[in-house]
């Protein structure tokens, strides 16, 4: 039998944050490791470890800036800061081609820039996209593709060798697309719309635009809801959407679409909710998403929707992915109190496959099940919070696990600080 994760963490789980207990010390089995890394550049919108060495950390900032830390150099100061990396808020970064040195960043203006760690003062290339506010950069090393997605409901593909638009993979449009993530081996694509997820199995970027030319599931859901006005008939509307999504790829041998039921599907009022954050487990078998209420003056609506005991503004959902009509199985749903209402918060899986990190008020929560990994869903213990650390001083916005140190986690905050979080054994 697999060893229990819980046997290795001495921790308590906090279901609600306790402001009187907030301090930079052990809380719930995790500790803040050393002083905060603060470059004074505004809110940290994204953090990213180097994919292999574990000592290089990038931070992307609200105030157009990019900073790099090298953990071999002490003192908590970045080894490099570019205060004009972009023309707007820098949201995301991704290393290219399995990458040692080259990485891309995306910003609110729709511009993507490519950089070299060895010469970071100037970009190698500037890619002016029509993706709108860029929230995802996904790299497929095997095909040498960089996939860019934003809030203008497009997927745009660039060749990482030439740093130009791909000649073989045309851009693909779909209404109300929020986020997009690639499976580690690039054979699956998960899409987040405003209130549900879609899985594209046997993903082929070269034929995506021609295989699914009029793929507008958000509009299809609106049509179905208009036809089924009563709350009692919501499930009927969802079944209609599920059939239409599956029918869109009927007869295809690739780009097979299926609906993934999110926690919001119980009442998918697309004017009130939004799935804003999305990540895939390293195995590709699990997907986690976060949703929040758009109408933040009415937090009780989301509480009613989720049947929660108290008003919440965000929930994290965990799904076991299944290709075909079944879509997925919801295996976990975790709520959090209202905090940093208008900020999108990024979740992440550990590369050791055991843990999911989710921002939680002025800290972060760690989730796990009772096994060493989550590949065997049948008979495993339920997923639940196993540790909480508070004490970052301001709301956590983004998380990223180290690729080398099994549980070391970097978190970025609205206050502009980056904290390193470590387990206590």
């Amino acid at each position: 039998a697999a060893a229990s994760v819980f046997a290795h963490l001495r921790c308590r789980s906090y279901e609600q944050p306790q402001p009187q207990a907030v301090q930079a010390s052990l809380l719930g089995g995790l500790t803040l490791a050393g002083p905060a890394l603060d470059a004074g550049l505004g809110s940290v919108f994204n953090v990213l470890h180097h994919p292999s060495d574990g000592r290089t950390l990038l931070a992307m900032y609200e105030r157009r800036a990019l900073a790099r830390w090298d953990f071999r150099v002490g003192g908590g100061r970045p080894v490099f800061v570019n205060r004009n990396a972009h023309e707007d808020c820098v949201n995301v970064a991704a290393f290219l081609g399995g990458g040692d040195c080259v990485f891309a960043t995306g910003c609110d203006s729709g511009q993507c820039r490519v950089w070299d760690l060895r010469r970071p003062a100037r970009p190698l290339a500037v890619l002016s996209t029509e993706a709108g506010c860029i929230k995802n950069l996904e790299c497929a090393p095997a095909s040498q593709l960089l996939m860019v997605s934003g809030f203008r409901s497009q997927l745009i593909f660039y060749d990482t060798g030439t740093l130009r638009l791909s000649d073989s993979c045309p851009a693909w449009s779909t209404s109300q697309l929020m986020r997009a993530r690639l499976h580690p081996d690039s054979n699956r694509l998960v899409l987040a719309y405003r209130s549900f997820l879609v899985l594209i199995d046997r993903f082929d970027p070269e034929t995506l635009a021609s295989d699914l030319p009029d793929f507008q599931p958000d509009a299809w859901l609106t049509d179905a809801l208009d036809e089924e006005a009563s709350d009692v008939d919501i499930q009927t509307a969802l079944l209609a959407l599920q059939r239409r999504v599956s029918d869109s790829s009927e007869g295809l041998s690739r780009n097979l679409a299926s609906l993934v039921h999110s926690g919001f599907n119980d009442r998918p009022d697309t004017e009130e909710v939004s799935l804003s954050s999305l990540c895939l487990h390293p195995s590709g078998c699990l997907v986690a998403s976060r949703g929040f209420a758009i109408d933040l003056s009415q937090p009780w609506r989301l509480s009613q929707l989720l049947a929660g005991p108290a008003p919440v503004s965000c929930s994290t959902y965990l799904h076991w992915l299944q290709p075909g009509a079944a879509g997925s199985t919801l295996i976990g749903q975790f709520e959090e109190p209202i905090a940093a209402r208008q900020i999108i918060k990024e979740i992440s899986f550990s590369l050791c496959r055991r843990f999911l990190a989710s921002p939680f008020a002025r800290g972060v929560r760690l989730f796990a099940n009772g096994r060493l990994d989550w590949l065997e869903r049948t008979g495993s213990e339920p997923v639940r919070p196993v540790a909480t650390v508070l004490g970052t001083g301001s709301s956590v916005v983004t998380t990223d696990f180290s690729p080398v140190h099994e549980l070391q986690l970097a978190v970025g905050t609205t206050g502009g600080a980056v904290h390193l979080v470590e387990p206590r054994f």
Side-chain angles (χ1 to χ4, degrees), residues 89-108:
C89 304
V90 190
N91 297 318
V92 64
F95 281 89
L96 306 187
D100 290 328
C101 297
V102 180
F103 65 98
T105 54
C107 75
D108 273 357

Side-chain angles (χ1 to χ4, degrees), residues 280-296:
L280 279 173
H281 189 268
S283 69
C285 295
L286 293 167
V287 61
S289 61
R290 278 178 66 101
F292 66 93
I294 292 177
D295 187 358
L296 295 168

Side-chain angles (χ1 to χ4, degrees), residues 68-132:
R68 174 192 171 191
W69 275 271
D70 188 328
F71 297 143
R72 295 170 300 182
V73 180
R77 295 179 178 273
V79 296
F80 178 81
V81 174
N82 187 330
R83 295 181 179 272
N84 294 291
H86 276 278
E87 299 169 351
D88 211 327
C89 304
V90 190
N91 297 318
V92 64
F95 281 89
L96 306 187
D100 290 328
C101 297
V102 180
F103 65 98
T105 54
C107 75
D108 273 357
S109 70
Q111 191 180 81
C112 180
R113 294 188 175 186
V114 181
W115 309 84
D116 190 321
L117 282 176
R118 297 163 297 188
R119 296 178 291 276
R122 295 183 179 229
L124 296 176
V126 177
L127 313 178
S128 296
T129 77
E130 296 182 1

Side-chain angles (χ1 to χ4, degrees), residues 372-384:
L372 289 177
D373 61 50
W374 292 345
L375 297 182
E376 296 183 26
R377 181 171 58 90
T378 304
S380 65
E381 296 180 32
V383 179
R384 63 183 177 90

